[in-house]
Amino acid sequence: MNTAGALAGVAVVLAGCSTAPGGGSAASPAGAPPATAAPSTPPAPPEAAPAPDAPSPTAERLVTVTRSGGYAGKTTSLLVKGDGSWARLDGEARPAGSGRLPPEDLAELRAALAAADFPRLPRVSMDGGTVFDGFTYVFVHAGREVATADGSIPAGLRPVLDALPPFEADRATPP
């Protein structure tokens, strides 16, 4: 038997051993036209679940700033919501403080964030030279993330830093 004939024989045997989708044989009886799958209609999409109540814009995250480094090498994150409530988290994401910004401080923070013009800020600003034992910062606001460090903080972000609650609990002012 030549090689082409042997390969054709193996192909016929293998085709007879395969199964068609749905569990039947893929081989058609001799002389029968090949079976064609019935046109299938895609399954109907599941009924949409009722949308959960959307959070109010004041409860959504306004800004998150993570500060790391310094002499002690600590990491602290501040999460400020649109209603002025804030939480401070340590480097292990454990609560380390919380509070609420007074309305005038919240207005100051909102104004500073608007003036910072996040879409125009460089995503990474670290070109101001090394500040030994300095801090690095990551700001997240309106879907934009900006990383910077002491010595390289864009001028527009300084008022944002000033308007934030304190990164350290011992620097917090009593309500």
Side-chain angles (χ1 to χ4, degrees):
M1 182 188 272
N2 67 21
T3 306
L7 288 175
V10 170
V12 169
V13 170
L14 291 176
C17 295
S18 68
T19 57
S25 172
S28 300
T36 57
S40 64
T41 57
E47 290 187 31
D53 292 334
S56 70
T58 58
E60 292 177 6
R61 183 88 38 89
L62 179 61
V63 66
T64 299
V65 181
T66 299
R67 181 183 81 169
S68 59
Y71 179 74
K74 291 174 62 174
T75 297
T76 305
S77 294
L78 291 172
L79 296 76
V80 182
K81 292 184 178 180
D83 65 358
S85 62
W86 58 268
R88 182 184 314 110
L89 305 176
D90 68 10
E92 301 294 320
R94 293 181 299 230
S98 63
R100 183 174 299 274
L101 292 172
E104 60 276 5
D105 291 353
L106 178 58
E108 179 183 344
L109 177 59
R110 284 183 181 280
L113 288 166
D117 197 10
F118 270 72
R120 295 188 191 273
L121 289 172
R123 293 188 61 93
V124 177
S125 177
M126 303 278 191
D127 57 355
T130 302
V131 175
F132 295 102
D133 296 325
F135 290 105
T136 60
Y137 300 89
V138 177
F139 295 79
V140 180
H141 171 65
R144 225 14 222 174
E145 184 173 302
V146 176
T148 188
D150 284 342
S152 300
I153 299 171
L157 289 178
R158 291 190 185 283
V160 174
L161 278 175
D162 293 341
L164 289 171
F167 281 97
E168 301 293 328
D170 60 347
R171 299 209 175 139
T173 55

